[in-house]
Amino acid sequence: MTISELGSIGELVAAVATIATLIYLALQIRANTVATRAESQRGAASLRMEALAIAGASRESSETFTQGLTDPNKLSPGERAQFYFQFSTLVTASECSFFDYGLGLIDQGTFEASCSLTNKLLPTPGGMDYWKNYSDSHIPSFRAYLIRETKI
């Protein structure tokens, strides 16, 4: 066998190794993408559960949240701050899902489920009060989405 023939065999082996490496990398990237999406789905659900747990942490907390939704003017200054924090947690959970959906990390069903409670509660008197005072703490594209979805 000549040096030229050995060189050709070497090039063939290198080409096969390169193709095998590219296939391996493609499979690894795909597995990582699936894992990232799954983690984002869990994260969206976790944020919703956290927001609901805060509002329902105690009878007092639930009553403050309920009163804040129906008539925030009847809340004491401390209760009103508590309501704003509770409501902000809920809206921020939806905002995170909005961001993840825009990146393609969660599917439409998860996104809609993540935003459904916010969309229902934002038009309440307390939701509108929160929005009037704190809407600027959310990204503009999310604010536009909520305005469009809730027609506030």
Side-chain angles (χ1 to χ4, degrees), residues 55-149:
S58 67
R59 184 173 153 221
E60 177 188 83
S61 184
S62 296
E63 288 173 354
T64 299
F65 190 72
T66 303
Q67 183 64 55
L69 289 174
T70 55
D71 189 356
N73 295 321
K74 289 185 178 178
L75 297 174
S76 70
E79 291 170 331
R80 195 171 194 154
Q82 182 182 16
F83 170 73
Y84 284 151
F85 287 128
Q86 291 169 329
F87 204 84
S88 178
T89 302
L90 179 66
V91 176
T92 301
S94 296
E95 185 173 20
C96 289
S97 291
F98 175 83
F99 187 72
D100 285 351
Y101 179 65
L103 292 175
L105 297 174
I106 60 173
D107 61 31
Q108 185 173 357
T110 301
F111 167 63
E112 289 173 355
S114 295
C115 293
S116 66
L117 189 56
T118 299
N119 293 348
K120 289 176 186 170
L121 297 181
L122 193 59
T124 65
M128 296 298 292
D129 187 54
Y130 167 84
W131 193 249
K132 180 180 80 177
N133 290 298
Y134 297 102
S135 64
D136 61 345
S137 66
H138 301 284
I139 59 174
S141 56
F142 178 66
R143 290 195 312 253
Y145 161 77
L146 282 179
I147 291 168
R148 186 174 60 253
E149 288 299 307

Side-chain angles (χ1 to χ4, degrees), residues 8-74:
S8 295
I9 291 172
E11 286 181 20
L12 178 64
V13 170
V16 170
T18 300
I19 290 171
T21 301
L22 290 174
I23 290 170
Y24 173 77
L25 288 174
L27 292 172
Q28 290 298 316
I29 290 170
R30 184 176 184 161
N32 185 49
T33 299
V34 168
T36 300
R37 285 189 177 151
E39 186 57 36
S40 293
Q41 301 277 47
R42 281 190 290 282
S46 178
L47 286 172
R48 278 196 322 270
M49 290 186 300
E50 235 178 85
L52 296 173
I54 289 170
S58 67
R59 184 173 153 221
E60 177 188 83
S61 184
S62 296
E63 288 173 354
T64 299
F65 190 72
T66 303
Q67 183 64 55
L69 289 174
T70 55
D71 189 356
N73 295 321
K74 289 185 178 178

